[in-house]
Amino acid sequence: MIPLYVSNGQAFVWNANDWLTIRQNHRIVGELIGSIASFPRQDSYPGFPMALMTEEAALLVEEGFCKLLEYTNSNALPSSDLSKLAKETEDRLFTEQTDCMKEKRIEQMSSRIDIIVAGKQKKKAMEGDSSECDKEALLQEEILKLTPLSVGNSLVQIPTEDPWPHETKDITIEDLIPNIKSDIGHVRYSVFKDLWKRGFFVTAGTKFGGDFLVYLGDPVKFHAMYMVKCLNNSSEIISLKRIVAFGRLGVSVNKITVIAYINNDNNVTYQTLQWHDTLY
């Protein structure tokens, strides 16, 4: 079961494989909000962690795909055992990096050894020495010249998830999102789950003025087709001005606008809005 780590009332995914499983197998998109270590000063391509909407986290837990965990001592100073483990990990990574660099350099030299031998042979000929160069001995000589890797010029590995063991506790979805039982929270979650069960991809729609954006396929390949606005209940009165504004907004962003609510039979109901030009 995939762990969702909760911090300040929001669930996050830190592991890349877990993120891929959630997206490919369960059609939950989330939102990457972290910075890529290699390019920290750009915001076009965010990295881990992935933040989940309340509805996304609730559905993953309810369907049995994930569980909610919370660190119990995340603000505590590291113990001596944890500090020792961190130092051992640092030394191991440095050794692995050193071996990898040496192997790569030897591979590069081996591919260029014929050029090196030809250069040495030419130099010897110019000095009047007609003896042949020993290719293997020359290769070993070049390997011995390799500058060893130092801690100062080694690469720093930044994990995408916490690599250290921590105490955690299981929490329930009610602990994470107590407002999901409120009127609008219940409606939003019911609408999200209904759309998900119909096979759609569903993401947050706040940037377009709605509650959800609905895609026919993965958002990487498809544009959103629907923009959904949830009502508290079927008897909520929505003004004509709001209907017109929401309809015109949908037209401007090329989306079909949808009003969603729970009817008197406790079923999710959808009402689409279409914009027509009238000729007088």
Side-chain angles (χ1 to χ4, degrees):
M1 190 175 291
I2 295 174
L4 304 179
Y5 294 99
V6 178
S7 177
N8 295 324
Q10 187 169 18
F12 297 90
V13 177
W14 289 87
N15 182 280
N17 292 327
D18 292 344
W19 165 80
L20 188 62
T21 299
I22 288 173
R23 188 178 183 109
Q24 288 187 337
N25 297 352
H26 308 315
R27 287 181 286 104
I28 296 297
V29 178
E31 181 182 9
L32 293 174
I33 62 171
S35 174
I36 298 177
S38 303
F39 305 97
R41 298 185 181 277
Q42 57 81 41
D43 57 4
S44 300
Y45 301 97
F48 289 99
M50 177 180 73
L52 294 172
M53 291 190 300
T54 295
E55 294 77 20
E56 291 173 323
L59 185 138
L60 287 170
V61 173
E62 183 179 326
E63 295 293 324
F65 304 137
C66 301
K67 62 179 179 180
L68 296 171
L69 296 176
E70 187 174 47
Y71 288 129
T72 58
N73 60 346
S74 58
N75 295 323
L77 293 175
S79 64
S80 57
D81 291 339
L82 185 56
S83 298
K84 181 181 177 181
L85 177 60
K87 184 63 171 64
E88 291 174 351
T89 302
E90 181 182 357
D91 293 342
R92 175 178 57 81
L93 292 175
F94 177 75
T95 301
E96 291 176 357
Q97 193 175 151
T98 300
D99 294 341
C100 182
M101 186 204 73
K102 184 176 181 180
E103 181 180 341
K104 187 67 176 178
R105 292 292 299 276
I106 291 175
E107 182 182 333
Q108 292 173 345
M109 286 185 179
S110 298
S111 65
R112 297 173 54 247
I113 191 62
D114 290 334
I115 299 175
I116 297 174
V117 169
K120 292 283 187 181
Q121 200 72 49
K122 183 177 180 179
K123 183 177 180 180
K124 290 176 66 175
M126 293 176 63
E127 296 173 350
D129 187 351
S130 60
S131 62
E132 294 291 331
C133 291
D134 187 334
K135 182 185 297 187
E136 188 62 32
L138 188 57
L139 177 60
Q140 294 302 319
E141 181 182 333
E142 293 296 323
I143 291 175
L144 291 175
K145 295 180 182 179
L146 289 177
T147 303
L149 185 67
S150 64
V151 176
N153 60 15
S154 62
L155 298 176
V156 177
Q157 294 193 358
I158 301 178
T160 58
E161 64 176 331
D162 194 338
W164 316 119
H166 288 289
E167 292 183 6
T168 60
K169 66 176 182 179
D170 295 343
I171 62 175
T172 66
I173 200 65
E174 287 77 13
D175 295 328
L176 173 66
I177 39 175
N179 65 334
I180 199 169
K181 299 301 182 183
S182 66
D183 288 343
I184 189 59
H186 174 64
V187 173
R188 279 177 57 95
Y189 181 55
S190 298
V191 170
F192 179 88
K193 183 166 64 173
D194 182 73
L195 291 169
W196 181 83
K197 286 184 175 293
R198 292 172 184 263
F200 295 112
F201 281 77
V202 186
T203 67
T206 50
K207 64 181 178 181
F208 288 122
D211 289 306
F212 301 117
L213 293 177
V214 182
Y215 301 77
L216 298 183
D218 194 306
V220 171
K221 302 177 182 178
F222 293 83
H223 289 291
M225 177 171 285
Y226 303 102
M227 182 171 61
V228 180
K229 183 70 174 177
C230 298
L231 301 183
N232 285 334
N233 51 64
S234 59
S235 60
E236 179 183 352
I237 298 176
I238 179 170
S239 67
L240 182 60
K241 184 184 295 186
R242 286 181 61 196
I243 293 177
V244 172
F246 191 52
R248 294 191 67 174
L249 178 61
V251 171
S252 66
V253 296
N254 197 28
K255 306 283 184 287
I256 298 174
T257 53
V258 180
I259 302 295
Y261 58 91
I262 296 178
N263 62 23
N264 294 331
D265 296 326
N266 206 33
N267 295 319
V268 177
T269 304
Y270 303 99
Q271 178 68 55
T272 60
L273 303 178
Q274 293 181 313
W275 194 266
H276 293 282
D277 292 327
T278 303
L279 298 179
Y280 293 96

mmCIF file of all heavy atoms in Angstrom, residues 243-277:
data_model
loop_
_atom_site.group_PDB
_atom_site.id
_atom_site.type_symbol
_atom_site.label_atom_id
_atom_site.label_comp_id
_atom_site.label_asym_id
_atom_site.label_seq_id
_atom_site.Cartn_x
_atom_site.Cartn_y
_atom_site.Cartn_z
ATOM 1 N N ILE A 243 -24.415 32.597 -13.328
ATOM 2 C CA ILE A 243 -24.536 31.638 -14.429
ATOM 3 C C ILE A 243 -23.921 32.203 -15.703
ATOM 4 O O ILE A 243 -23.164 31.527 -16.410
ATOM 5 C CB ILE A 243 -26.018 31.274 -14.664
ATOM 6 C CG1 ILE A 243 -26.562 30.486 -13.474
ATOM 7 C CG2 ILE A 243 -26.174 30.462 -15.942
ATOM 8 C CD1 ILE A 243 -28.027 30.141 -13.572
ATOM 9 N N VAL A 244 -24.253 33.481 -15.998
ATOM 10 C CA VAL A 244 -23.707 34.108 -17.192
ATOM 11 C C VAL A 244 -22.190 34.228 -17.101
ATOM 12 O O VAL A 244 -21.461 33.939 -18.064
ATOM 13 C CB VAL A 244 -24.348 35.495 -17.400
ATOM 14 C CG1 VAL A 244 -23.644 36.241 -18.540
ATOM 15 C CG2 VAL A 244 -25.830 35.359 -17.708
ATOM 16 N N ALA A 245 -21.700 34.634 -15.927
ATOM 17 C CA ALA A 245 -20.254 34.783 -15.756
ATOM 18 C C ALA A 245 -19.532 33.446 -15.929
ATOM 19 O O ALA A 245 -18.499 33.360 -16.610
ATOM 20 C CB ALA A 245 -19.956 35.376 -14.385
ATOM 21 N N PHE A 246 -20.091 32.396 -15.333
ATOM 22 C CA PHE A 246 -19.462 31.082 -15.426
ATOM 23 C C PHE A 246 -19.522 30.560 -16.860
ATOM 24 O O PHE A 246 -18.563 29.966 -17.366
ATOM 25 C CB PHE A 246 -20.156 30.116 -14.466
ATOM 26 C CG PHE A 246 -19.427 28.806 -14.286
ATOM 27 C CD1 PHE A 246 -18.078 28.788 -13.954
ATOM 28 C CD2 PHE A 246 -20.088 27.603 -14.419
ATOM 29 C CE1 PHE A 246 -17.410 27.599 -13.774
ATOM 30 C CE2 PHE A 246 -19.428 26.397 -14.232
ATOM 31 C CZ PHE A 246 -18.077 26.394 -13.910
ATOM 32 N N GLY A 247 -20.661 30.796 -17.534
ATOM 33 C CA GLY A 247 -20.794 30.354 -18.924
ATOM 34 C C GLY A 247 -19.825 31.071 -19.842
ATOM 35 O O GLY A 247 -19.179 30.460 -20.698
ATOM 36 N N ARG A 248 -19.695 32.381 -19.680
ATOM 37 C CA ARG A 248 -18.785 33.141 -20.523
ATOM 38 C C ARG A 248 -17.332 32.774 -20.233
ATOM 39 O O ARG A 248 -16.494 32.751 -21.145
ATOM 40 C CB ARG A 248 -19.001 34.634 -20.306
ATOM 41 C CG ARG A 248 -20.364 35.124 -20.778
ATOM 42 C CD ARG A 248 -20.454 36.624 -20.790
ATOM 43 N NE ARG A 248 -19.566 37.200 -21.791
ATOM 44 C CZ ARG A 248 -19.529 38.491 -22.098
ATOM 45 N NH1 ARG A 248 -20.326 39.349 -21.455
ATOM 46 N NH2 ARG A 248 -18.699 38.941 -23.010
ATOM 47 N N LEU A 249 -17.042 32.483 -18.975
ATOM 48 C CA LEU A 249 -15.690 32.059 -18.630
ATOM 49 C C LEU A 249 -15.350 30.749 -19.331
ATOM 50 O O LEU A 249 -14.250 30.578 -19.865
ATOM 51 C CB LEU A 249 -15.565 31.892 -17.115
ATOM 52 C CG LEU A 249 -14.207 31.405 -16.595
ATOM 53 C CD1 LEU A 249 -13.107 32.391 -16.954
ATOM 54 C CD2 LEU A 249 -14.258 31.193 -15.085
ATOM 55 N N GLY A 250 -16.302 29.811 -19.359
ATOM 56 C CA GLY A 250 -16.070 28.546 -20.037
ATOM 57 C C GLY A 250 -15.807 28.731 -21.523
ATOM 58 O O GLY A 250 -14.945 28.066 -22.102
ATOM 59 N N VAL A 251 -16.546 29.646 -22.146
ATOM 60 C CA VAL A 251 -16.348 29.916 -23.570
ATOM 61 C C VAL A 251 -14.960 30.495 -23.812
ATOM 62 O O VAL A 251 -14.264 30.126 -24.761
ATOM 63 C CB VAL A 251 -17.429 30.882 -24.091
ATOM 64 C CG1 VAL A 251 -17.109 31.335 -25.515
ATOM 65 C CG2 VAL A 251 -18.797 30.201 -24.056
ATOM 66 N N SER A 252 -14.534 31.407 -22.942
ATOM 67 C CA SER A 252 -13.250 32.078 -23.140
ATOM 68 C C SER A 252 -12.066 31.128 -23.002
ATOM 69 O O SER A 252 -11.009 31.352 -23.597
ATOM 70 C CB SER A 252 -13.105 33.241 -22.146
ATOM 71 O OG SER A 252 -13.027 32.754 -20.816
ATOM 72 N N VAL A 253 -12.217 30.072 -22.209
ATOM 73 C CA VAL A 253 -11.119 29.105 -22.047
ATOM 74 C C VAL A 253 -11.393 27.812 -22.809
ATOM 75 O O VAL A 253 -10.691 26.808 -22.628
ATOM 76 C CB VAL A 253 -10.868 28.801 -20.553
ATOM 77 C CG1 VAL A 253 -10.396 30.041 -19.834
ATOM 78 C CG2 VAL A 253 -12.108 28.224 -19.875
ATOM 79 N N ASN A 254 -12.422 27.842 -23.654
ATOM 80 C CA ASN A 254 -12.747 26.702 -24.531
ATOM 81 C C ASN A 254 -13.048 25.431 -23.741
ATOM 82 O O ASN A 254 -12.541 24.351 -24.031
ATOM 83 C CB ASN A 254 -11.601 26.446 -25.508
ATOM 84 C CG ASN A 254 -12.031 25.581 -26.694
ATOM 85 O OD1 ASN A 254 -13.205 25.598 -27.088
ATOM 86 N ND2 ASN A 254 -11.100 24.843 -27.265
ATOM 87 N N LYS A 255 -13.901 25.561 -22.728
ATOM 88 C CA LYS A 255 -14.323 24.417 -21.912
ATOM 89 C C LYS A 255 -15.847 24.370 -21.863
ATOM 90 O O LYS A 255 -16.512 25.408 -21.945
ATOM 91 C CB LYS A 255 -13.794 24.532 -20.472
ATOM 92 C CG LYS A 255 -12.290 24.723 -20.348
ATOM 93 C CD LYS A 255 -11.545 23.435 -20.572
ATOM 94 C CE LYS A 255 -10.053 23.643 -20.331
ATOM 95 N NZ LYS A 255 -9.380 24.398 -21.395
ATOM 96 N N ILE A 256 -16.400 23.182 -21.734
ATOM 97 C CA ILE A 256 -17.835 23.021 -21.502
ATOM 98 C C ILE A 256 -18.073 23.206 -20.008
ATOM 99 O O ILE A 256 -17.492 22.499 -19.177
ATOM 100 C CB ILE A 256 -18.334 21.642 -21.951
ATOM 101 C CG1 ILE A 256 -18.120 21.467 -23.462
ATOM 102 C CG2 ILE A 256 -19.804 21.464 -21.611
ATOM 103 C CD1 ILE A 256 -18.461 20.072 -23.964
ATOM 104 N N THR A 257 -18.897 24.174 -19.664
ATOM 105 C CA THR A 257 -19.144 24.460 -18.248
ATOM 106 C C THR A 257 -20.238 23.544 -17.703
ATOM 107 O O THR A 257 -21.257 23.300 -18.366
ATOM 108 C CB THR A 257 -19.539 25.924 -18.059
ATOM 109 O OG1 THR A 257 -20.630 26.235 -18.923
ATOM 110 C CG2 THR A 257 -18.380 26.838 -18.397
ATOM 111 N N VAL A 258 -20.006 23.061 -16.489
ATOM 112 C CA VAL A 258 -20.910 22.084 -15.873
ATOM 113 C C VAL A 258 -21.213 22.505 -14.433
ATOM 114 O O VAL A 258 -20.292 22.830 -13.670
ATOM 115 C CB VAL A 258 -20.301 20.668 -15.876
ATOM 116 C CG1 VAL A 258 -21.260 19.663 -15.232
ATOM 117 C CG2 VAL A 258 -19.944 20.234 -17.291
ATOM 118 N N ILE A 259 -22.499 22.503 -14.087
ATOM 119 C CA ILE A 259 -22.923 22.694 -12.698
ATOM 120 C C ILE A 259 -23.197 21.317 -12.105
ATOM 121 O O ILE A 259 -23.939 20.519 -12.684
ATOM 122 C CB ILE A 259 -24.195 23.559 -12.611
ATOM 123 C CG1 ILE A 259 -23.964 24.932 -13.258
ATOM 124 C CG2 ILE A 259 -24.629 23.718 -11.165
ATOM 125 C CD1 ILE A 259 -22.954 25.791 -12.552
ATOM 126 N N ALA A 260 -22.592 21.012 -10.957
ATOM 127 C CA ALA A 260 -22.774 19.700 -10.334
ATOM 128 C C ALA A 260 -23.365 19.866 -8.938
ATOM 129 O O ALA A 260 -23.009 20.786 -8.208
ATOM 130 C CB ALA A 260 -21.436 18.965 -10.251
ATOM 131 N N TYR A 261 -24.278 18.969 -8.591
ATOM 132 C CA TYR A 261 -24.894 19.004 -7.267
ATOM 133 C C TYR A 261 -25.450 17.619 -6.952
ATOM 134 O O TYR A 261 -25.466 16.715 -7.809
ATOM 135 C CB TYR A 261 -26.003 20.059 -7.202
ATOM 136 C CG TYR A 261 -27.102 19.868 -8.221
ATOM 137 C CD1 TYR A 261 -28.233 19.115 -7.929
ATOM 138 C CD2 TYR A 261 -26.999 20.451 -9.489
ATOM 139 C CE1 TYR A 261 -29.242 18.928 -8.866
ATOM 140 C CE2 TYR A 261 -27.999 20.272 -10.432
ATOM 141 C CZ TYR A 261 -29.119 19.512 -10.119
ATOM 142 O OH TYR A 261 -30.113 19.327 -11.062
ATOM 143 N N ILE A 262 -25.892 17.434 -5.717
ATOM 144 C CA ILE A 262 -26.519 16.174 -5.310
ATOM 145 C C ILE A 262 -28.018 16.399 -5.242
ATOM 146 O O ILE A 262 -28.488 17.307 -4.538
ATOM 147 C CB ILE A 262 -25.968 15.704 -3.956
ATOM 148 C CG1 ILE A 262 -24.470 15.397 -4.079
ATOM 149 C CG2 ILE A 262 -26.714 14.474 -3.456
ATOM 150 C CD1 ILE A 262 -23.819 14.965 -2.788
ATOM 151 N N ASN A 263 -28.787 15.598 -5.982
ATOM 152 C CA ASN A 263 -30.239 15.805 -6.043
ATOM 153 C C ASN A 263 -30.936 15.214 -4.815
ATOM 154 O O ASN A 263 -30.297 14.695 -3.895
ATOM 155 C CB ASN A 263 -30.807 15.221 -7.343
ATOM 156 C CG ASN A 263 -30.596 13.716 -7.452
ATOM 157 O OD1 ASN A 263 -30.419 13.020 -6.451
ATOM 158 N ND2 ASN A 263 -30.614 13.199 -8.670
ATOM 159 N N ASN A 264 -32.252 15.307 -4.820
ATOM 160 C CA ASN A 264 -33.039 14.849 -3.664
ATOM 161 C C ASN A 264 -32.942 13.350 -3.442
ATOM 162 O O ASN A 264 -33.259 12.854 -2.351
ATOM 163 C CB ASN A 264 -34.497 15.254 -3.841
ATOM 164 C CG ASN A 264 -34.661 16.772 -3.811
ATOM 165 O OD1 ASN A 264 -33.882 17.464 -3.160
ATOM 166 N ND2 ASN A 264 -35.660 17.281 -4.525
ATOM 167 N N ASP A 265 -32.552 12.592 -4.481
ATOM 168 C CA ASP A 265 -32.365 11.145 -4.350
ATOM 169 C C ASP A 265 -30.940 10.781 -3.947
ATOM 170 O O ASP A 265 -30.549 9.611 -4.017
ATOM 171 C CB ASP A 265 -32.709 10.461 -5.673
ATOM 172 C CG ASP A 265 -34.184 10.635 -6.044
ATOM 173 O OD1 ASP A 265 -35.012 10.659 -5.114
ATOM 174 O OD2 ASP A 265 -34.497 10.749 -7.252
ATOM 175 N N ASN A 266 -30.153 11.811 -3.584
ATOM 176 C CA ASN A 266 -28.777 11.623 -3.134
ATOM 177 C C ASN A 266 -27.859 11.112 -4.241
ATOM 178 O O ASN A 266 -26.884 10.402 -3.980
ATOM 179 C CB ASN A 266 -28.708 10.674 -1.936
ATOM 180 C CG ASN A 266 -27.476 10.926 -1.078
ATOM 181 O OD1 ASN A 266 -27.027 12.061 -0.959
ATOM 182 N ND2 ASN A 266 -26.935 9.872 -0.489
ATOM 183 N N ASN A 267 -28.177 11.474 -5.484
ATOM 184 C CA ASN A 267 -27.344 11.116 -6.628
ATOM 185 C C ASN A 267 -26.671 12.371 -7.187
ATOM 186 O O ASN A 267 -27.253 13.458 -7.170
ATOM 187 C CB ASN A 267 -28.184 10.469 -7.731
ATOM 188 C CG ASN A 267 -28.783 9.147 -7.298
ATOM 189 O OD1 ASN A 267 -28.120 8.343 -6.624
ATOM 190 N ND2 ASN A 267 -30.033 8.895 -7.667
ATOM 191 N N VAL A 268 -25.470 12.202 -7.694
ATOM 192 C CA VAL A 268 -24.763 13.322 -8.310
ATOM 193 C C VAL A 268 -25.419 13.653 -9.652
ATOM 194 O O VAL A 268 -25.664 12.767 -10.469
ATOM 195 C CB VAL A 268 -23.274 12.990 -8.518
ATOM 196 C CG1 VAL A 268 -22.558 14.135 -9.237
ATOM 197 C CG2 VAL A 268 -22.594 12.701 -7.180
ATOM 198 N N THR A 269 -25.717 14.922 -9.849
ATOM 199 C CA THR A 269 -26.401 15.381 -11.057
ATOM 200 C C THR A 269 -25.577 16.487 -11.713
ATOM 201 O O THR A 269 -24.963 17.309 -11.023
ATOM 202 C CB THR A 269 -27.802 15.920 -10.722
ATOM 203 O OG1 THR A 269 -28.532 14.897 -10.035
ATOM 204 C CG2 THR A 269 -28.547 16.323 -11.982
ATOM 205 N N TYR A 270 -25.584 16.496 -13.050
ATOM 206 C CA TYR A 270 -24.814 17.483 -13.795
ATOM 207 C C TYR A 270 -25.732 18.279 -14.719
ATOM 208 O O TYR A 270 -26.657 17.725 -15.319
ATOM 209 C CB TYR A 270 -23.728 16.798 -14.637
ATOM 210 C CG TYR A 270 -22.768 15.948 -13.828
ATOM 211 C CD1 TYR A 270 -22.941 14.560 -13.758
ATOM 212 C CD2 TYR A 270 -21.710 16.516 -13.132
ATOM 213 C CE1 TYR A 270 -22.089 13.777 -13.018
ATOM 214 C CE2 TYR A 270 -20.848 15.735 -12.385
ATOM 215 C CZ TYR A 270 -21.027 14.366 -12.332
ATOM 216 O OH TYR A 270 -20.177 13.587 -11.587
ATOM 217 N N GLN A 271 -25.459 19.557 -14.821
ATOM 218 C CA GLN A 271 -26.197 20.434 -15.737
ATOM 219 C C GLN A 271 -25.175 21.237 -16.533
ATOM 220 O O GLN A 271 -24.383 21.998 -15.972
ATOM 221 C CB GLN A 271 -27.105 21.384 -14.960
ATOM 222 C CG GLN A 271 -27.878 22.355 -15.831
ATOM 223 C CD GLN A 271 -28.925 21.636 -16.670
ATOM 224 O OE1 GLN A 271 -29.766 20.926 -16.139
ATOM 225 N NE2 GLN A 271 -28.850 21.810 -17.982
ATOM 226 N N THR A 272 -25.163 21.040 -17.853
ATOM 227 C CA THR A 272 -24.197 21.764 -18.687
ATOM 228 C C THR A 272 -24.779 23.100 -19.134
ATOM 229 O O THR A 272 -25.996 23.264 -19.256
ATOM 230 C CB THR A 272 -23.819 20.936 -19.926
ATOM 231 O OG1 THR A 272 -24.996 20.677 -20.696
ATOM 232 C CG2 THR A 272 -23.182 19.631 -19.534
ATOM 233 N N LEU A 273 -23.893 24.051 -19.345
ATOM 234 C CA LEU A 273 -24.273 25.372 -19.842
ATOM 235 C C LEU A 273 -23.686 25.548 -21.234
ATOM 236 O O LEU A 273 -22.499 25.286 -21.444
ATOM 237 C CB LEU A 273 -23.739 26.475 -18.917
ATOM 238 C CG LEU A 273 -24.164 26.416 -17.448
ATOM 239 C CD1 LEU A 273 -23.501 27.554 -16.679
ATOM 240 C CD2 LEU A 273 -25.676 26.516 -17.325
ATOM 241 N N GLN A 274 -24.525 25.992 -22.163
ATOM 242 C CA GLN A 274 -24.057 26.243 -23.515
ATOM 243 C C GLN A 274 -24.349 27.682 -23.899
ATOM 244 O O GLN A 274 -25.412 28.222 -23.581
ATOM 245 C CB GLN A 274 -24.729 25.288 -24.514
ATOM 246 C CG GLN A 274 -24.307 23.827 -24.322
ATOM 247 C CD GLN A 274 -24.964 22.903 -25.335
ATOM 248 O OE1 GLN A 274 -26.168 22.990 -25.559
ATOM 249 N NE2 GLN A 274 -24.172 22.049 -25.939
ATOM 250 N N TRP A 275 -23.413 28.290 -24.580
ATOM 251 C CA TRP A 275 -23.518 29.694 -24.966
ATOM 252 C C TRP A 275 -23.976 29.785 -26.418
ATOM 253 O O TRP A 275 -23.391 29.175 -27.301
ATOM 254 C CB TRP A 275 -22.149 30.362 -24.799
ATOM 255 C CG TRP A 275 -22.212 31.862 -24.850
ATOM 256 C CD1 TRP A 275 -22.022 32.639 -25.932
ATOM 257 C CD2 TRP A 275 -22.462 32.722 -23.755
ATOM 258 N NE1 TRP A 275 -22.155 33.941 -25.594
ATOM 259 C CE2 TRP A 275 -22.414 34.047 -24.252
ATOM 260 C CE3 TRP A 275 -22.742 32.522 -22.397
ATOM 261 C CZ2 TRP A 275 -22.623 35.146 -23.447
ATOM 262 C CZ3 TRP A 275 -22.940 33.624 -21.610
ATOM 263 C CH2 TRP A 275 -22.890 34.926 -22.121
ATOM 264 N N HIS A 276 -25.058 30.554 -26.667
ATOM 265 C CA HIS A 276 -25.575 30.712 -28.029
ATOM 266 C C HIS A 276 -25.646 32.191 -28.355
ATOM 267 O O HIS A 276 -26.056 33.014 -27.539
ATOM 268 C CB HIS A 276 -26.982 30.109 -28.155
ATOM 269 C CG HIS A 276 -27.006 28.610 -28.017
ATOM 270 N ND1 HIS A 276 -26.639 27.774 -29.034
ATOM 271 C CD2 HIS A 276 -27.320 27.805 -26.955
ATOM 272 C CE1 HIS A 276 -26.749 26.513 -28.633
ATOM 273 N NE2 HIS A 276 -27.161 26.513 -27.364
ATOM 274 N N ASP A 277 -25.266 32.510 -29.574
ATOM 275 C CA ASP A 277 -25.422 33.878 -30.076
ATOM 276 C C ASP A 277 -26.845 34.044 -30.608
ATOM 277 O O ASP A 277 -27.342 33.166 -31.338
ATOM 278 C CB ASP A 277 -24.435 34.184 -31.184
ATOM 279 C CG ASP A 277 -23.004 34.242 -30.659
ATOM 280 O OD1 ASP A 277 -22.847 34.667 -29.508
ATOM 281 O OD2 ASP A 277 -22.077 33.866 -31.405
#
